[in-house]
């Protein structure tokens, strides 16, 4: 059997830190409100001359170095992003060029905060179908550019960053299962409704969110996808060594863990340091837990994401 395995992880956060106290000077909010309602302490803001592909470039180099994978080995590039460098070409193509990777498929996946899970599932299917040997999968976002900095209900929640993994062909699993879901009837709950037309932005180019409804939706589906993944693999909750959820809100993460009966000690949380980085949040958290030694070979790691679309999904991995 052919499987895919994650052989290297990497991440990158821009230098500029925006703390909750900084936000107190920008909108009517408080460090206390942001910490208790979201778990976020600070987030990173990309420099004006940085694009999503630049953040991805740094994360990708780190992942390739960690996996001892060379540029010549990569034969698929997938970038999960909601904040691409430009309308086209894709951020994946721009990244491919910046890395100096030769001819291979390269494309973006747009599934908002579930983007990394979607991209990983797609790369896994390419590898298992024998269509590629080593895939670079990146989640990269610059949400600071689509935030209305006068709207306290959204601007305190998000940040910029990138995370990457290299997936390689293997005769040992690897990725045990992936499950992807979407329900477009919820599209208005979380969106950036603007578009480009006639040389101008048409409509609102900032994030709009019905936070309470999104919160309830997220806690429900994040529990469901864990049970779905475990059932497919004949596993129990107790078999999970690490849960790596999308990093949106500590209350969503705690509520999911409580409903599942998973101790928070087995849940990887990094959102305090970078806020909600959408498609970058899961690979940022994976890289942190790999580099500090929590995730070890043989561990069962369950990734789960939910976001605009609505989209949601999981990936169960034997590390
Ligand atoms: O990535 C996936 C998509 N995103 C998410 O998963 C986010 C999901 N939603 C959430 O995380 C939460 O709903 C929020 C963090 C967005 C909001 O938390 P909440 O506990 O649901 O607060 P709320 O919207 O019910 O607002 C409570 C109060 C309101 O004031 P009143 O009406 O009670 O007087 C808000 O106006 O908090 C107020 N508020 C704030 N106060 C200080 C809203 N934003 C802020 C703020 N600072 N930044």
């Amino acid at each position: 059997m052919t499987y895919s395995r994650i052989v290297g992880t990497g991440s990158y956060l821009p230098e500029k830190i925006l703390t909750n106290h900084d936000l107190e000077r920008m909108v009517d909010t408080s460090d206390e409100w942001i910490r208790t309602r979201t778990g976020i302490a600070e987030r990173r803001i990309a420099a004006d001359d940085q694009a999503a592909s630049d953040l991805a470039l740094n994360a990708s180099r780190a992942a390739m170095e960690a996996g001892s994978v060379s540029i010549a080995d990569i034969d698929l590039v997938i970038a999960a992003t909601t904040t691409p460098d430009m309308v086209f070409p894709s951020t994946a193509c721009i990244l491919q060029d910046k890395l100096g990777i030769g001819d291979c498929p390269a494309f973006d996946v747009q599934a908002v905060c579930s983007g990394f899970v979607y991209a990983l599932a797609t790369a896994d299917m390419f590898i298992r179908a024998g269509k590629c040997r080593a895939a670079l999968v990146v989640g990269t976002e610059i949400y600071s550019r689509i935030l209305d900095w006068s709207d306290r209900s959204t601007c305190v929640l998000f940040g910029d960053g990138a995370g990457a993994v290299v997936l390689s062909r293997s005769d040992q699993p690897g990725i045990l299962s992936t499950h992807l879901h979407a329900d477009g009837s919820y599209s208005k709950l979380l969106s950036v409704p603007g578009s480009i037309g006639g040389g101008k932005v048409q409509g609102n180019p900032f994030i709009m969110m019905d936070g309470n409804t999104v919160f309830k939706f997220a806690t429900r589906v994040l529990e469901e996808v864990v049970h779905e993944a475990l059932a497919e693999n004949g596993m129990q909750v107790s078999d999970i060594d690490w849960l790596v959820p999308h990093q949106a809100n500590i209350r969503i993460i705690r509520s999911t863990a409580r409903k599942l009966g998973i101790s928070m000690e087995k849940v990887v949380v990094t959102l305090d340091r970078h806020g909600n980085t959408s498609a970058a949040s899961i690979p940022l958290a994976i890289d942190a837990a790999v580099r500090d030694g929590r995730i070890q070979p043989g561990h069962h790691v369950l990734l789960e994401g939910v976001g605009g679309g609505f989209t949601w999904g999981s990936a169960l991995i034997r590390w």
Side-chain angles (χ1 to χ4, degrees), residues 28-29 33 37-38 113 152-153 156-157 190 209 211-212 214-215 246 248-249 251-252 276 306-307:
D28 180 14
T29 191
W33 191 96
R37 296 291 179 123
T38 74
C113 301
R152 69 175 184 173
S153 70
V156 304
L157 304 175
L190 175 54
M209 179 167 71
N212 286 303
V214 172
F215 192 104
H246 169 49
N249 185 319
R251 289 157 52 220
I252 295 176
N276 182 347
V306 58

Side-chain angles (χ1 to χ4, degrees), residues 16 26 91 114 117 122 142 147 170 222 249 275-276:
K16 183 177 170 189
M26 297 163 65
T91 301
S114 311
V117 172
T122 306
I142 303 189
L147 291 172
S170 168
L222 289 175
N249 185 319
N276 182 347

Side-chain angles (χ1 to χ4, degrees), residues 70-91:
S70 73
I71 295 293
D73 296 329
I74 301 291
D75 55 4
L76 174 67
V77 180
I78 307 181
T81 185
T82 316
T83 49
D85 289 24
M86 52 187 84
V87 174
F88 71 81
S90 69
T91 301

